[in-house]
């Protein structure tokens, strides 16, 4: 089955860290752009970071610059999201998505992506 599956969500205290993983099954991530997004209740889906696996290009939203990193795990056919210095405002459902992207960079617009995972919940609270 061709799908993306996120894992690693959970409850973390403010200031803490969490690592999410987006694993692909049924296809290889080679040549795809992978994006991480989040959506909090009552808010629009927000693009956080993306990687173009073909060019190595990385992109970050201002809201996560310096706190979140994105990396490729070739062995697991996955893309990981390392999150540090988490705050209550980071509480949301986190999603990964993929698209075959012809350009050098990668998009943070969710409309550009055509395959989505089911999401994993991240809650930042004391």
């Amino acid at each position: 089955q061709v799908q993306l599956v996120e894992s690693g969500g959970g409850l973390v205290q403010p200031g803490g860290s969490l690592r999410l993983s987006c694993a692909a099954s049924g296809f290889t991530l080679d040549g795809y752009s992978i994006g991480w997004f989040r959506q909090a209740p009552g808010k629009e889906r927000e693009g956080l970071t993306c990687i173009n696996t073909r060019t190595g290009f990385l992109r970050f939203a201002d809201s996560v610059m310096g706190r979140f990193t994105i990396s490729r795990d070739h062995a697991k056919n996955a893309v990981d999201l390392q999150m540090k210095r988490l705050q209550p405002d980071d509480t949301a459902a986190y999603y990964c998505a993929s698209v075959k992207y012809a350009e050098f960079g990668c998009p943070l617009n969710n409309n550009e992506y055509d395959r989505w995972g089911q999401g994993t919940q991240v809650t930042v609270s004391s």
Side-chain angles (χ1 to χ4, degrees), residues 9 31 60 62 71 81 91 113:
F60 296 89
D62 290 344
S71 61
L81 178 67
T91 296
Y113 290 83

Side-chain angles (χ1 to χ4, degrees), residues 68-87:
F68 291 10
T69 57
I70 187 171
S71 61
R72 179 93 182 273
D73 186 333
H74 288 84
K76 296 181 179 179
N77 195 30
V79 170
D80 292 347
L81 178 67
Q82 177 68 51
M83 305 184 293
K84 298 181 179 180
R85 302 198 306 275
L86 287 164
Q87 297 301 320

